Amino acid sequence: MDQKVAPPSDAAFSGVLTQLYGFLAAARLPDDGRLPPERELAELLGVKRAELRKGLAALEREGQLWRHVGKGTFVGPRPPQLADISDLAQRSNPIQVMKARIALEPELARLAAVNATAAEIGALTELNAACRASATWREYEAYDARFHHEIAEAAHNPVLLALFETLNAVRRAVTWGRPRPSHSSPPADHHSFDDHARIVDAIAHREPAAAADATRRHLQNVEDRLVGR
């Protein structure tokens, strides 16, 4: 049977709530709004951990707090959750995935042209060289994925990076219908090689508009080949 939380009329419970409200009003918390660990918070407030948990649960029901197992307790309402990846993949198709990439990745490249470090630009150059030298399609696609992820990292925007990683997870889960043969390799004139080179060149020369345009053209080339245009 589920353990019931003590009602507000309980004196100890009411006292914990009062202390928690006071703590939240006065405490200087980190930027992410995380509270101290339960043991530390119980010591700060001078209450038992069992009483503290009841108080935290009540504030969570009110929308004052939210908790994430393994990460902690945070001030404010629980942030909205992105759709389940497997469910989203089942409701998506490769063309929709490409449209989403075309909407997001040019902006990441534009920001990378502004924010990328020299080391990140060097990594992009090396990854494009690795794409060209790939012995199989599987190897090429692994380097290609790392290339695009490096651009997302180099944008230095954690929100857009999270969106990119979600989209990338959906892309991996969607059934594309035409798997690459594992025994052959991309031809020497594969369009992505020059496309990637133009993207890297624009980022290295700090040209945001050119980086975004090169990325958009690259992804449109991928989409054109996907639909047989």
Side-chain angles (χ1 to χ4, degrees):
M1 182 179 295
D2 292 339
Q3 193 175 22
K4 294 183 179 180
V5 175
S9 58
D10 181 271
F13 177 73
S14 297
V16 169
L17 278 182
T18 299
Q19 288 176 284
L20 280 171
Y21 284 128
F23 177 82
L24 295 180
R28 292 187 175 183
L29 300 174
D31 290 342
D32 62 2
R34 179 161 46 188
L35 297 182
E38 280 188 6
R39 184 183 301 277
E40 181 181 336
L41 185 56
E43 291 176 357
L44 283 172
L45 300 180
V47 299
K48 296 179 180 178
R49 290 183 69 180
E51 296 171 351
L52 176 65
R53 289 194 187 103
K54 291 179 181 179
L56 292 174
L59 293 186
E60 186 174 20
R61 289 194 298 272
E62 293 177 5
Q64 302 276 352
L65 305 171
W66 67 279
R67 290 185 280 183
H68 189 295
V69 176
K71 291 189 177 180
T73 303
F74 302 82
V75 174
R78 181 180 295 276
Q81 300 295 305
L82 292 173
D84 177 79
I85 297 300
S86 60
D87 175 66
L88 190 53
Q90 290 174 5
R91 294 187 289 110
S92 304
N93 60 54
I95 299 302
Q96 291 170 330
V97 170
M98 287 307 308
K99 294 296 185 187
R101 291 187 67 187
I102 291 169
L104 176 63
E105 293 190 42
E107 176 61 17
L108 290 167
R110 187 188 71 80
L111 290 172
V114 176
N115 298 322
T117 65
E120 287 167 335
I121 293 170
L124 286 171
T125 301
E126 291 175 2
L127 286 168
N128 190 34
C131 285
R132 288 181 182 272
S134 297
T136 65
W137 277 107
R138 190 182 302 277
E139 184 180 351
Y140 162 77
E141 288 171 352
Y143 283 122
D144 176 73
R146 287 172 58 187
F147 177 86
H148 286 277
H149 192 275
E150 183 67 28
I151 292 173
E153 291 272 8
H156 293 273
N157 184 308
V159 177
L160 290 179
L161 176 60
L163 292 174
F164 171 85
E165 290 177 338
T166 299
L167 175 57
N168 208 30
V170 173
R171 181 182 65 80
R172 289 193 300 269
V174 165
T175 300
W176 291 81
R178 293 189 299 177
R180 296 289 195 190
S182 59
H183 60 277
S184 63
S185 60
D189 62 349
H190 185 51
H191 71 93
S192 286
F193 299 153
D194 287 341
D195 287 354
H196 286 176
R198 281 187 284 270
I199 295 169
V200 175
D201 184 70
I203 292 173
H205 286 88
R206 306 299 183 183
E207 297 174 346
D213 184 63
T215 302
R216 187 177 297 105
R217 289 175 181 272
H218 168 52
L219 294 174
Q220 286 172 341
N221 280 338
V222 175
E223 182 184 38
D224 287 347
R225 284 160 175 77
L226 179 65
V227 299
R229 287 202 290 262

